[in-house]
Amino acid sequence: MEALKQRAIELLEKGEVKAVLGYAKGTGQARRAFFARQPGQVDKLVLDEACTQNLAAYATKHEVKKLGRVAIVAPPATQRALIQLMAERQLRDGDLAILAVDEGAIKELGSAAALEEHLALKAQGLDAKDKTLLAKLDAMSREDRWAYWQNEFSRCMKCYACRNSCPMCYCEHCTMDCNRPQWVPVASHSIGNLEYHMVRTMHLAGRCVECGDCGRACPVGIPVHLLTISAEETVHELFGQRAGAKAKLDYALSTFKTDDKESFIR
Amino acid sequence: MANTYQLSRESLTSLFGALRKDGRRILAPVESDGRIGLGEVEAPAQVAGDYLQTIMSAKEVAFPKVERLLSYTITPGQVDLKDAEPKAAPTVLFGVRPCEAKAFGALDAVFNWDYRDKFFNARLEKLAVIGLSCTKADEACFCTSVGGGPADTAGSDILLTPVADGYLAEVLTEKGTAILNLASDLFKPGNGVDKVAVAAKVEAAFDQPALTAKLPGMFDSEVWVDQSLRCIGCGACAFVCPTCVCFDIQEEADPKQGERLRCWDSCGFHMFTLHASGHNPREVQSARWRQRIYHKFSYYPQRYDQLGCVGCGKCTRACPVDMNLKEHLTEAAGVTA
Amino acid sequence: MSEKNIYLPYLMRIAEITEESPAVKTFRLEFVDDVAAQSFDFKTGQFGLYSAFGEGESTFCIASSPTRKGYIECTFREVGRVTAALADKEVGDIVGFRGPYGNVFPLEDWKGKNLVFIAGGIALPPLRSVIWNCLDLRDWFKDITVVYGARRVADLVYKRELKEWSERPDMKLVTTVDPGGETPDWTGKVGFVPPVVEQLGLSAENTVAIVCGPPIMIKLTLPVLQKLGFPPEAIFTTLENRMKCGVGKCGRCNTGKSYVCKDGPVYTLAELNQLPAEY
């Protein structure tokens, strides 16, 4: 922690960055995103298990880009999101100063290559609770699973907290906001909710870095992250590809190969 | 001038029975998977035992998240319009907190100034509120900073305050009296319990009248930019808010028929004010965050002579990035111009 | 007893369609219901929400004058889902209309004064309503001047009426197009609206200015008017914030304490100065 603060102050004092994006104390035991813009604010930074938000979601925001170059405190899921954003050409190598955090240790990663190398050493594992729930869902009959999700989606009100918290949902014009044509109904009724979550899941298949932030963001506790995680796992199974590993990537769902095993594509 | 009574805990069963016999459905906080939400109940035992607040507000009882405003059929050269009638079932809202009960007044102010909204009114007319005073509060609560309180009677037709073995029942309105008359034998003469002593202690966090007075002069303050940098522009705060009333009107149709739906909307969404031309009067998130604060704490008082916030703290609890309204208002109140 | 549904539109039949400029059309609309036609009344400055059934509602001013009874007109550019659907309509088709909504131009207050109307591009329609209204009450006012500019000659709307206005002895019309937007037979001015206004030699004495146009034109015209001596109370404009309900509920057009749909769309510059610049 002290090393992080030290480095944050240095970066700010030398003018290498305009802000250090990390975590600070929030309401009660909560931690929240915090932009230290002056060396004097660095003291507010904290780092512990409660720091879960994927801060990469801020990296593509206009308001944040306008600040100038930013250093970002990046636990593993954030690291994966950052490299995936590079793979999708939303971030350039070197746009951000990445302060990688792994089990308390801080490592500054200056380049995409360094980030890639760093990530290659990390095993990506699912949260135990999510693993159990996913297994339970997998074991369900199709009808039961359908009923489960219908019941969950009935609480959805389309606040888009899941979309807006997701680092990979950076689109300037989200499909949900398009009305020519109106792909998905705006209303938060059963069809509107179902279509929204299906589209969100499909758009994140092969792109989800499995941080779980969408699920944590949901104010009514719908485990929407299980949808994108399971789609991600399916892409991994079928194409051997994982989001958040490489800074250059031919995205599985938009890559054509003449030796594809599916006959319909040939 | 409330009529005060004692209501034993056991007598609630009979009260619920009397309400249902009168043809009313009872909505109350219920627990499901650790979440507290409004649900229909038949007996007091189904009401959540120990809750601070529901996640969602009670506003959806009068202002649902999706509602049909009209429908139509289209034939060549002709359109047949059909008015929509809101499904307004006689309803008793049991056990909502005083902050939420009060919030119906803020909704009413918007829905009924000048033009009257029949959809809201039809539901409100058939709604009776049995509020329940708070005996605890959390860090998000700030009712006492916005003119309310944990045992405030505003908006309740009957307010219950838990006391030993039961409740102090304040019958406050005609609707409350009508409920009392359904089961008058249950309401025993009151014993003058000091409800303030029982109610939660919620310290006032900021001087709201002073804040409201200074907001017009701090429109361009950096404080809105600083606070909103971490805001992700979702609608969680607005959708759980008991007073947020902004809505969208959406068309759903095929070539032969269609309907027009009112859907909750939020001033936090960048699409909210975006013109078809691409021009956006509130281009950045800080302008949208400021609008949320100003609408509730500056424009509402100027327009409706009341606040657009009841200090329930639902927005803070629901926010995925911990935008704490009480904290941010306190900070704004401390900004020197 | 059930209250009235404030979101229910009138049904209107399209009586006439005029192609004004590329992607801009004017509809003349007549009430399907005779009773509605008889009872309907509006004042200049007000607006409505026009429905393309199947697609939704869109907000535009009423572009005709209340002195012309039996119909209303609207002029719109095809920019979104609803306006595209409206643009596909033909004479005889049914559309919806809710209104009239909003406040009005205070013609009574303008009696005995000179009027200067300044409009740019597609923003002439709201002024067309008030211009015709004033022309139909011609003896109420002293000099009437209209300055109208567009990017190109093709973008000028109401070309027939512009010709009529240019020939009227009781008013002065100045048309201008942006440099490069002129055609070989163009007889109007070439230049942006603000300098054209500046060169007109207008007197602010006993005069009100009514300005409507794209934000950039308004932004550059207001200083010119102030330089000419127009006080903020004598400069009027009409705002076009996004709206959904039109009746002060949905919150979309809220700017400061004002609901543009209720307190507007007509504002004096003095009033606008009291609002945050969120329009």
Side-chain angles (χ1 to χ4, degrees):
Chain A
M1 188 64 227
E2 280 317 304
L4 173 69
K5 287 186 181 173
Q6 196 82 47
R7 185 60 188 141
I9 290 173
E10 256 173 49
L11 285 165
L12 287 165
E13 276 178 347
K14 286 191 187 156
E16 285 181 43
V17 299
K18 294 287 183 206
V20 176
L21 169 55
Y23 302 93
K25 195 195 158 311
T27 308
Q29 298 307 305
R31 301 291 178 257
R32 64 166 65 142
F34 177 67
F35 293 81
R37 293 200 273 172
Q38 276 106 40
Q41 295 175 312
V42 166
D43 227 23
K44 288 194 178 169
L45 291 176
V46 294
L47 203 53
D48 56 28
E49 293 87 70
C51 299
T52 49
Q53 192 191 345
N54 192 333
L55 302 178
Y58 293 107
T60 52
K61 294 208 181 298
H62 292 295
E63 289 85 348
V64 174
K65 282 180 170 172
K66 245 176 59 188
L67 296 175
R69 190 165 185 261
V70 169
I72 182 168
V73 176
T78 308
Q79 298 166 22
R80 294 200 297 274
L82 291 172
I83 204 158
Q84 183 64 20
L85 286 170
M86 290 179 196
E88 298 183 12
R89 297 183 180 84
Q90 298 304 311
L91 282 181
R92 275 175 312 216
D93 192 358
D95 271 358
L96 297 165
I98 299 166
L99 304 170
V101 183
D102 289 289
E103 284 144 20
I106 309 288
K107 194 167 165 190
E108 192 166 337
L109 300 169
S111 67
L115 182 55
E116 214 169 81
E117 204 173 299
H118 181 77
L119 278 165
L121 304 172
K122 307 288 300 177
Q124 184 176 338
L126 289 180
D127 176 275
K129 204 176 128 204
D130 290 343
K131 233 179 195 165
T132 315
L133 195 48
L134 269 174
K136 195 178 122 194
L137 283 167
D138 271 345
M140 280 182 190
S141 69
R142 186 182 291 199
E143 291 73 26
D144 287 352
R145 199 156 53 232
W146 177 243
Y148 171 84
W149 283 113
Q150 280 198 313
N151 181 45
E152 291 297 311
F153 293 155
S154 70
R155 294 197 304 281
C156 177
M157 50 190 170
K158 284 206 182 162
C159 70
Y160 297 123
C162 46
R163 175 189 73 179
N164 290 20
S165 65
C166 175
M168 306 321 299
C169 276
Y170 49 73
C171 290
E172 191 85 345
H173 294 287
C174 174
T175 303
M176 297 304 129
D177 297 334
C178 292
N179 69 358
R180 293 183 78 186
Q182 186 79 54
W183 294 109
V184 175
V186 171
S188 175
H189 46 40
S190 51
I191 289 288
N193 290 347
L194 177 68
E195 287 187 3
Y196 163 52
H197 289 290
M198 283 173 66
V199 170
R200 198 185 79 86
T201 304
M202 287 309 293
H203 283 190
L204 284 158
R207 303 176 52 241
C208 169
V209 297
E210 305 188 340
C211 67
D213 250 19
C214 51
R216 275 191 293 274
C218 180
V220 291
I222 307 171
V224 288
H225 60 299
L226 299 181
L227 294 168
T228 54
I229 287 175
S230 78
E232 177 64 26
E233 292 300 317
T234 304
V235 169
H236 178 58
E237 233 166 75
L238 294 176
F239 304 102
Q241 197 178 80
R242 252 190 206 296
K246 297 260 184 266
K248 284 206 166 60
L249 192 69
D250 291 324
Y251 176 43
L253 299 192
S254 63
T255 304
F256 174 74
K257 283 185 181 161
T258 47
D259 60 348
D260 197 289
K261 68 185 166 76
E262 302 292 348
S263 61
F264 74 89
I265 207 163
R266 280 189 233 133
Chain B
M1 39 125 261
N3 295 308
T4 307
Y5 302 88
Q6 276 279 106
L7 201 59
S8 74
R9 188 156 295 139
E10 296 71 40
S11 67
L12 282 188
T13 306
S14 307
L15 180 64
F16 276 37
L19 289 169
R20 286 173 49 76
K21 206 176 138 201
D22 192 45
R24 310 189 196 208
R25 64 173 181 158
I26 304 169
L27 296 180
V30 293
E31 193 186 322
S32 164
D33 288 335
R35 287 181 305 271
I36 307 290
L38 282 181
E40 187 167 352
V41 297
E42 295 178 3
Q46 292 169 280
V47 180
D50 185 35
Y51 61 92
L52 186 70
Q53 285 206 11
T54 50
I55 297 171
M56 302 297 294
S57 80
K59 78 174 167 196
E60 56 187 331
V61 177
F63 172 37
K65 64 181 180 179
V66 183
E67 162 154 55
R68 185 193 296 129
L69 297 177
L70 58 92
S71 59
Y72 51 83
T73 50
I74 305 171
T75 45
Q78 202 179 324
V79 172
D80 287 308
L81 269 180
K82 201 170 160 230
D83 196 354
E85 288 303 330
K87 278 187 226 135
T91 301
V92 173
L93 203 48
F94 178 87
V96 296
R97 297 306 183 184
C99 47
E100 286 211 63
K102 188 182 174 190
F104 285 107
L107 293 175
D108 187 48
V110 176
F111 278 126
N112 287 314
W113 79 280
D114 197 11
Y115 290 91
R116 293 178 57 80
D117 189 288
K118 77 162 188 175
F119 298 92
F120 175 79
N121 292 342
R123 291 196 174 86
L124 198 66
E125 200 182 306
K126 298 211 169 164
L127 182 70
V129 178
I130 302 180
L132 182 61
S133 297
C134 300
T135 52
K136 59 180 184 182
D138 72 1
E139 284 166 292
C141 290
F142 61 100
C143 56
T144 50
S145 305
V146 290
D152 193 58
T153 55
S156 289
D157 296 300
I158 295 177
L159 179 69
L160 304 180
T161 302
V163 292
D165 311 326
Y167 304 93
L168 176 76
E170 295 169 86
V171 180
L172 299 150
T173 64
E174 276 176 30
K175 281 180 180 174
T177 308
I179 290 175
L180 171 113
N181 289 338
L182 291 176
S184 52
D185 54 321
L186 304 176
F187 291 79
K188 310 289 185 214
N191 64 353
V193 180
D194 178 12
K195 70 172 182 176
V196 177
V198 187
K201 304 288 170 284
V202 184
E203 296 278 327
F206 56 91
D207 180 350
Q208 175 269 315
L211 172 67
T212 293
K214 76 193 282 191
L215 281 177
M218 55 186 292
F219 193 80
D220 295 317
S221 168
E222 273 297 300
V223 75
W224 314 122
V225 179
D226 278 340
Q227 293 179 350
S228 65
L229 258 178
R230 74 176 184 286
C231 174
I232 55 172
C234 74
C237 50
F239 290 0
V240 301
C241 175
T243 66
C244 268
V245 61
C246 289
F247 61 82
D248 189 5
I249 298 177
Q250 282 289 327
E251 198 98 340
E252 290 188 6
D254 61 33
K256 288 187 173 159
Q257 60 201 331
E259 53 187 13
R260 215 158 264 176
L261 305 174
R262 160 152 80 195
C263 310
W264 288 352
D265 207 340
S266 167
C267 61
F269 290 140
H270 82 283
M271 293 286 290
F272 190 67
T273 49
L274 181 68
H275 293 203
S277 67
H279 170 68
N280 196 342
R282 287 193 279 273
E283 186 85 57
V284 290
Q285 202 59 40
S286 57
R288 301 190 278 270
W289 166 249
R290 179 178 58 197
Q291 168 68 10
R292 181 170 172 74
I293 305 272
Y294 274 63
H295 199 205
K296 293 180 177 301
F297 291 90
S298 182
Y299 309 153
Y300 249 80
Q302 289 180 68
R303 194 125 209 150
Y304 310 113
D305 203 23
Q306 61 177 298
L307 292 174
C309 174
V310 292
C312 67
K314 285 187 198 295
C315 55
T316 303
R317 289 178 213 106
C319 180
V321 297
D322 193 32
M323 298 293 286
N324 182 317
L325 188 58
K326 174 172 89 171
E327 174 193 330
H328 288 324
L329 291 169
T330 308
E331 183 186 24
V335 170
T336 44
Chain C
M1 187 212 72
S2 186
E3 296 179 42
K4 193 171 154 266
N5 183 351
I6 53 177
Y7 306 101
L8 213 54
Y10 294 111
L11 295 178
M12 313 288 284
R13 196 174 296 282
I14 302 174
E16 203 178 303
I17 297 176
T18 311
E19 309 257 354
E20 300 288 356
S21 65
V24 176
K25 288 183 178 181
T26 296
F27 282 177
R28 176 170 292 190
L29 304 173
E30 291 171 356
F31 288 86
V32 169
D33 179 34
D34 287 339
V35 179
Q38 292 304 317
S39 62
F40 183 82
D41 199 13
F42 76 99
K43 288 203 161 78
T44 186
Q46 292 191 289
F47 68 92
L49 281 99
Y50 300 77
S51 310
F53 291 102
E55 301 297 339
E57 291 179 307
S58 194
T59 314
F60 341 110
C61 66
I62 303 175
S64 52
S65 166
T67 49
R68 314 289 170 99
K69 303 285 183 193
Y71 63 86
I72 58 169
E73 287 179 336
C74 66
T75 301
F76 60 92
R77 193 207 308 263
E78 186 185 333
V79 279
R81 175 180 168 189
V82 176
T83 46
L86 286 174
D88 281 344
K89 301 275 182 220
E90 293 168 3
V91 169
D93 283 350
I94 301 289
V95 298
F97 172 81
R98 283 198 290 131
Y101 295 141
N103 69 349
V104 304
F105 285 110
L107 297 200
E108 295 276 344
D109 298 350
W110 297 350
K111 275 187 182 173
K113 295 186 188 225
N114 303 307
L115 308 179
V116 181
F117 298 95
I118 303 163
I122 182 67
L124 185 58
L127 295 199
R128 177 209 191 215
S129 169
V130 60
I131 291 168
W132 276 120
N133 199 343
C134 293
L135 290 174
D136 287 347
L137 302 166
R138 188 61 191 87
D139 54 347
W140 283 23
F141 312 102
K142 293 169 90 174
D143 294 349
I144 294 182
T145 309
V146 175
V147 183
Y148 176 43
R151 277 178 52 217
R152 302 168 304 164
V153 174
D155 295 322
L156 293 163
V157 296
Y158 307 132
K159 291 191 179 69
R160 271 178 311 175
E161 288 158 69
L162 292 177
K163 184 164 179 293
E164 192 182 333
W165 291 348
S166 71
E167 289 163 357
R168 275 180 81 126
D170 60 349
M171 68 175 289
K172 181 177 175 188
L173 173 71
V174 180
T175 50
T176 182
V177 293
D178 291 358
E182 66 272 28
T183 50
D185 59 346
W186 175 243
T187 55
K189 290 185 183 289
V190 176
F192 297 109
V193 168
V196 167
V197 170
E198 195 163 8
Q199 291 150 18
L200 279 181
L202 293 170
S203 162
E205 181 72 31
N206 195 34
T207 305
V208 292
I210 304 97
V211 189
C212 199
I216 183 71
M217 188 209 92
I218 295 196
K219 199 175 157 190
L220 297 174
T221 304
L222 292 179
V224 170
L225 291 172
Q226 285 177 296
K227 202 167 127 193
L228 291 169
F230 283 84
E233 294 76 20
I235 303 173
F236 291 79
T237 190
T238 149
L239 295 185
E240 303 208 322
N241 281 30
R242 196 169 178 206
M243 295 172 190
K244 284 283 183 173
C245 76
V247 289
K249 315 272 178 238
C250 80
R252 205 165 293 258
C253 69
N254 175 242
T255 300
K257 68 166 182 177
S258 199
Y259 286 108
V260 175
C261 69
K262 287 296 307 171
D263 308 325
V266 177
Y267 292 88
T268 64
L269 180 58
E271 289 164 340
L272 280 190
N273 288 342
Q274 300 297 312
L275 296 180
E278 293 183 333
Y279 42 80

Tab-separated table of all heavy atoms in Angstrom, chain B residues 138-157:
chain	number	residue	atom	x	y	z
B	138	ASP	N	-29.581	3.585	8.836
B	138	ASP	CA	-28.203	3.265	8.451
B	138	ASP	C	-27.499	4.513	7.930
B	138	ASP	O	-28.057	5.617	7.983
B	138	ASP	CB	-28.163	2.096	7.454
B	138	ASP	CG	-28.664	2.489	6.069
B	138	ASP	OD1	-29.025	3.680	5.871
B	138	ASP	OD2	-28.702	1.623	5.182
B	139	GLU	N	-26.298	4.311	7.416
B	139	GLU	CA	-25.498	5.466	6.999
B	139	GLU	C	-26.051	6.194	5.777
B	139	GLU	O	-25.626	7.292	5.480
B	139	GLU	CB	-24.068	5.011	6.695
B	139	GLU	CG	-23.275	4.750	7.938
B	139	GLU	CD	-22.004	3.978	7.634
B	139	GLU	OE1	-22.144	2.795	7.252
B	139	GLU	OE2	-20.919	4.540	7.767
B	140	ALA	N	-26.984	5.527	5.077
B	140	ALA	CA	-27.556	6.183	3.898
B	140	ALA	C	-28.745	7.073	4.264
B	140	ALA	O	-29.111	7.963	3.515
B	140	ALA	CB	-27.978	5.133	2.877
B	141	CYS	N	-29.345	6.827	5.412
B	141	CYS	CA	-30.556	7.553	5.825
B	141	CYS	C	-30.253	9.030	6.118
B	141	CYS	O	-29.255	9.340	6.769
B	141	CYS	CB	-31.111	6.948	7.109
B	141	CYS	SG	-31.821	5.305	6.922
B	142	PHE	N	-31.152	9.921	5.688
B	142	PHE	CA	-31.011	11.322	6.108
B	142	PHE	C	-32.352	12.054	6.115
B	142	PHE	O	-32.436	13.246	5.812
B	142	PHE	CB	-29.969	12.076	5.269
B	142	PHE	CG	-30.247	12.177	3.791
B	142	PHE	CD1	-30.781	13.333	3.243
B	142	PHE	CD2	-29.947	11.126	2.946
B	142	PHE	CE1	-31.017	13.452	1.877
B	142	PHE	CE2	-30.189	11.218	1.574
B	142	PHE	CZ	-30.723	12.383	1.042
B	143	CYS	N	-33.397	11.344	6.536
B	143	CYS	CA	-34.739	11.945	6.545
B	143	CYS	C	-34.783	13.239	7.340
B	143	CYS	O	-35.453	14.199	6.948
B	143	CYS	CB	-35.755	10.946	7.084
B	143	CYS	SG	-35.382	10.301	8.724
B	144	THR	N	-34.048	13.262	8.455
B	144	THR	CA	-34.138	14.446	9.324
B	144	THR	C	-33.435	15.662	8.722
B	144	THR	O	-33.632	16.780	9.181
B	144	THR	CB	-33.519	14.160	10.705
B	144	THR	OG1	-32.223	13.592	10.504
B	144	THR	CG2	-34.379	13.174	11.489
B	145	SER	N	-32.625	15.426	7.681
B	145	SER	CA	-31.982	16.571	7.013
B	145	SER	C	-32.898	17.186	5.971
B	145	SER	O	-32.595	18.246	5.433
B	145	SER	CB	-30.678	16.136	6.337
B	145	SER	OG	-29.831	15.515	7.270
B	146	VAL	N	-33.978	16.489	5.635
B	146	VAL	CA	-34.856	16.987	4.572
B	146	VAL	C	-36.286	17.149	5.079
B	146	VAL	O	-37.251	16.963	4.348
B	146	VAL	CB	-34.807	16.075	3.312
B	146	VAL	CG1	-33.466	16.212	2.620
B	146	VAL	CG2	-35.067	14.616	3.663
B	147	GLY	N	-36.393	17.489	6.335
B	147	GLY	CA	-37.701	17.841	6.879
B	147	GLY	C	-38.579	16.672	7.286
B	147	GLY	O	-39.753	16.855	7.594
B	148	GLY	N	-38.031	15.472	7.268
B	148	GLY	CA	-38.817	14.300	7.681
B	148	GLY	C	-38.297	13.775	9.002
B	148	GLY	O	-37.582	14.468	9.731
B	149	GLY	N	-38.683	12.562	9.302
B	149	GLY	CA	-38.210	11.954	10.528
B	149	GLY	C	-38.629	10.510	10.598
B	149	GLY	O	-39.545	10.097	9.879
B	150	PRO	N	-37.964	9.735	11.457
B	150	PRO	CA	-38.230	8.293	11.520
B	150	PRO	C	-39.639	7.959	12.012
B	150	PRO	O	-40.077	6.827	11.869
B	150	PRO	CB	-37.167	7.772	12.498
B	150	PRO	CG	-36.672	8.963	13.225
B	150	PRO	CD	-36.860	10.142	12.339
B	151	ALA	N	-40.343	8.936	12.584
B	151	ALA	CA	-41.721	8.675	13.003
B	151	ALA	C	-42.635	9.764	12.449
B	151	ALA	O	-43.676	10.074	13.019
B	151	ALA	CB	-41.800	8.616	14.524
B	152	ASP	N	-42.235	10.325	11.322
B	152	ASP	CA	-42.993	11.407	10.690
B	152	ASP	C	-44.310	10.870	10.127
B	152	ASP	O	-44.355	9.803	9.533
B	152	ASP	CB	-42.142	12.016	9.568
B	152	ASP	CG	-42.702	13.327	9.074
B	152	ASP	OD1	-42.845	14.241	9.891
B	152	ASP	OD2	-43.008	13.417	7.871
B	153	THR	N	-45.373	11.620	10.310
B	153	THR	CA	-46.690	11.123	9.904
B	153	THR	C	-47.068	11.468	8.464
B	153	THR	O	-48.015	10.891	7.924
B	153	THR	CB	-47.782	11.716	10.815
B	153	THR	OG1	-47.675	13.141	10.782
B	153	THR	CG2	-47.642	11.213	12.241
B	154	ALA	N	-46.330	12.386	7.823
B	154	ALA	CA	-46.720	12.862	6.492
B	154	ALA	C	-46.863	11.704	5.506
B	154	ALA	O	-45.969	10.881	5.375
B	154	ALA	CB	-45.690	13.858	5.982
B	155	GLY	N	-47.977	11.656	4.844
B	155	GLY	CA	-48.167	10.651	3.795
B	155	GLY	C	-48.800	9.362	4.272
B	155	GLY	O	-49.314	8.586	3.473
B	156	SER	N	-48.765	9.104	5.582
B	156	SER	CA	-49.399	7.892	6.096
B	156	SER	C	-50.862	8.188	6.420
B	156	SER	O	-51.182	9.274	6.886
B	156	SER	CB	-48.698	7.415	7.384
B	156	SER	OG	-47.422	6.891	7.091
B	157	ASP	N	-51.702	7.206	6.175
B	157	ASP	CA	-53.088	7.337	6.616
B	157	ASP	C	-53.205	6.870	8.057
B	157	ASP	O	-53.975	7.400	8.834
B	157	ASP	CB	-54.004	6.537	5.689
B	157	ASP	CG	-53.963	7.111	4.280
B	157	ASP	OD1	-54.312	8.298	4.131
B	157	ASP	OD2	-53.535	6.407	3.347
